[in-house]
C-alpha cells in the first residue's frame, strides 16, 4: 500500500534556503550552507556547516545527507562520516560536517 509522507521543515536561521531538487530527475533535495560569509576548508580539515533548517522526519524513517557529486568530484569535499543520518526524533538544526580530501584549500559560500 502506497502512503504519502510529509516532511515538515522550519527555518531556524534567517536566510535559510528550503531544499529543492536541482533537476526533475534528481534523486534528492539539496541542502545549502546557511553561513554569513565564505568559509575555507584547508586540506585535511573538517568544518561543520549549518543549514538553517530543522525538520520533522516522519516516524519510522530517517533523513540521509550524501556528498553531492559537484563537491566530491570537483572540489574533493565529502560528508565527513560518509553519510549523515538524521533520526526521526531529532528536532535540532541540521548541520553537515564536511572534510577536504583534496590537496587544495576549498571555499564554501552561502547557499552552496
Amino acid at each position: 500500500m502506497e502512503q504519502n509522507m510529509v516532511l515538515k521543515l522550519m527555518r531556524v536561521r534567517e536566510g535559510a534556503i528550503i531544499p529543492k531538487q536541482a533537476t526533475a530527475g534528481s534523486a534528492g533535495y539539496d541542502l545549502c550552507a546557511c553561513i554569513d560569509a565564505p568559509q575555507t576548508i584547508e586540506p585535511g580539515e573538517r568544518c561543520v556547516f549549518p543549514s538553517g533548517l530543522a525538520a520533522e522526519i516522519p516516524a519510522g524513517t530517517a533523513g540521509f545527507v550524501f556528498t553531492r557529486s559537484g563537491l566530491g568530484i570537483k572540489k574533493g569535499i565529502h560528508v565527513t562520516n560518509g553519510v549523515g543520518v538524521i533520526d526521526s526524533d531529532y528536532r535540532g538544526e541540521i548541520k553537515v560536517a564536511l572534510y577536504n580530501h583534496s590537496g587544495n584549500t576549498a571555499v564554501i559560500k552561502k547557499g552552496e
Side-chain angles (χ1 to χ4, degrees):
M1 178 166 85
E2 187 176 318
Q3 181 180 5
N4 291 325
M5 289 191 209
V6 175
L7 175 64
K8 295 179 183 177
L9 293 173
M10 181 174 75
R11 287 183 174 100
V12 294
R13 289 180 191 255
E14 189 174 323
I17 299 169
I18 299 297
K20 60 185 174 208
Q21 291 177 296
T23 67
S26 293
Y29 291 76
D30 294 337
L31 279 175
C32 298
C34 187
I35 52 179
D36 294 327
Q39 188 170 336
T40 60
I41 308 176
E42 297 298 331
E45 185 178 60
R46 295 182 299 274
C47 290
V48 177
F49 293 88
S51 70
L53 300 169
E56 186 178 310
I57 307 290
T61 67
F64 298 97
V65 179
F66 291 91
T67 300
R68 288 279 302 160
S69 59
L71 284 176
I73 294 169
K74 296 175 187 170
K75 292 187 176 185
I77 304 296
H78 300 267
V79 174
T80 301
N81 52 340
V83 175
V85 177
I86 307 166
D87 296 319
S88 64
D89 62 350
Y90 178 71
R91 294 295 182 264
E93 181 178 14
I94 298 168
K95 297 180 181 179
V96 179
L98 298 177
Y99 181 81
N100 185 348
H101 286 276
S102 79
N104 302 311
T105 298
V107 177
I108 304 297
K109 299 173 186 160
K110 180 178 184 168
E112 236 184 328

